[in-house]
Amino acid sequence: MVLQRNGRNLCDVIVEGTCNASGTVWVRSELRGRALRPVKAGRAAAGKFRARVKGLAAGGPYDVTLEIRGRDGSILEMAKARNVLVGDLWLLGGQSNMQGVGHSCDAEKSHPMVRAFYMNDEWAVAHDPIHNLSEAVDTVHNGWPGPHKPRRRLHVPTSRCVGPGVSFGKAMLEATGVPQGLIACAHGGTTMKAWDPQLKKLGSKSLYGAMMRRFKKNGARVAGLVWYQGCSDAEPATAGAYRRNMVNFVKALRR
């Protein structure tokens, strides 16, 4: 995975989850086999833990171990994340052109320092298609039980699956020198009405709510949003409101 760096080129993110043990959460990290100093990072109780992972410099890869320790220092429970990078995270939002409709023969080659958080909630090296909607955890992407459906369901052939995500990630890697992470959130045929921030309360049944869930799942810190949408609103009844809807969308996302 990729963790977002801060202004000092260090990660500083909140990690939450479920557990069995109760006690103090410690973070142990290794960089290419060299152990870094263990850090007390949070607490675990009542089946949940919350820890602040900070201080890892941009780059990597790191192996990060979370340990729940008792009062005597004994390790009661632990989990390890391997091959963790620190750099910049980007939400990918919008409709078909972000989802990917370019020819597969034009796909960018993968780069090990450009990763993607696919729609099945798994991290891997980024390669098209990034938006694997049929495997999405969020029901808005594979069932549409929410109030706003896309104007049309897109059935994109496997030969048309390329979006701008991988190219963008590689360009930013070259420009910044730090790893890049892409969080897939787009869906073809969607309108600004479907992306309305007021639908956040619907969680995974709304596009905005699903995007916020994925944002929080990855430490609630990103560098920004890459947006590619507008065709579905290019009609007389909706085009006039696009600017206002887009401004409201950006303000909500920044909040």
Side-chain angles (χ1 to χ4, degrees):
M1 66 184 302
V2 181
L3 300 177
Q4 177 62 42
R5 61 174 174 163
N6 59 19
R8 295 184 297 143
N9 275 337
L10 304 172
C11 80
D12 187 355
V13 299
I14 299 297
V15 179
E16 298 176 308
T18 58
C19 57
N20 295 314
S22 297
T24 304
V25 180
W26 287 74
V27 175
R28 287 193 301 108
S29 304
E30 296 179 11
L31 177 61
R32 290 185 284 274
R34 180 173 62 89
L36 308 180
R37 182 174 63 87
V39 177
K40 186 185 296 186
R43 293 287 301 172
K48 297 181 179 180
F49 75 88
R50 188 174 193 269
R52 186 177 178 184
V53 180
K54 62 179 182 177
L56 300 180
Y62 297 90
D63 288 343
V64 180
T65 303
L66 301 179
E67 298 175 346
I68 300 176
R69 300 184 183 181
R71 292 184 178 180
D72 60 356
S74 61
I75 299 174
L76 305 177
E77 191 173 350
M78 63 183 292
K80 189 169 188 175
R82 301 182 184 276
N83 204 344
V84 176
L85 303 175
V86 177
D88 288 330
L89 275 177
W90 304 91
L91 299 167
L92 305 183
Q95 55 185 103
S96 58
N97 286 307
M98 182 61 76
Q99 177 186 323
V101 292
H103 293 285
S104 57
C105 60
D106 296 324
E108 284 275 346
K109 291 184 178 179
S110 299
H111 192 289
M113 293 294 106
V114 179
R115 309 279 175 85
F117 188 59
Y118 292 85
M119 301 191 111
N120 59 354
D121 276 15
E122 293 183 4
W123 276 97
V125 173
H127 61 82
D128 291 300
I130 292 176
H131 290 81
N132 49 336
L133 271 68
S134 63
E135 303 174 31
V137 170
D138 296 298
T139 52
V140 70
H141 291 298
N142 57 29
W144 281 98
H148 298 293
K149 296 184 178 182
R151 189 173 57 181
R152 59 192 181 280
R153 284 303 297 264
L154 292 181
H155 298 284
V156 181
T158 55
S159 61
R160 299 286 297 275
C161 64
V162 176
V166 179
S167 297
F168 174 81
K170 291 177 68 174
M172 292 304 295
L173 172 65
E174 183 177 355
T176 64
V178 302
Q180 302 292 310
L182 310 169
I183 302 176
C185 302
H187 193 116
T190 51
T191 65
M192 287 302 291
K193 193 173 184 180
W195 285 94
D196 189 346
Q198 293 188 16
L199 300 176
K200 181 176 67 173
K201 60 182 180 293
L202 298 177
S204 290
K205 294 182 179 181
S206 74
L207 289 169
Y208 195 90
M211 181 170 63
M212 288 297 97
R213 184 194 70 80
R214 295 169 66 71
F215 166 75
K216 292 176 181 177
K217 192 173 180 67
N218 284 284
R221 288 180 184 270
V222 296
L225 166 74
V226 188
W227 182 255
Y228 202 151
Q229 189 271 345
C231 299
S232 293
D233 290 273
E235 297 181 353
T238 53
Y242 188 85
R243 185 180 187 276
R244 180 177 68 252
N245 290 336
M246 188 65 197
V247 168
N248 290 337
F249 175 81
V250 172
K251 285 182 177 179
L253 190 62
R254 285 175 173 164
R255 285 196 301 270

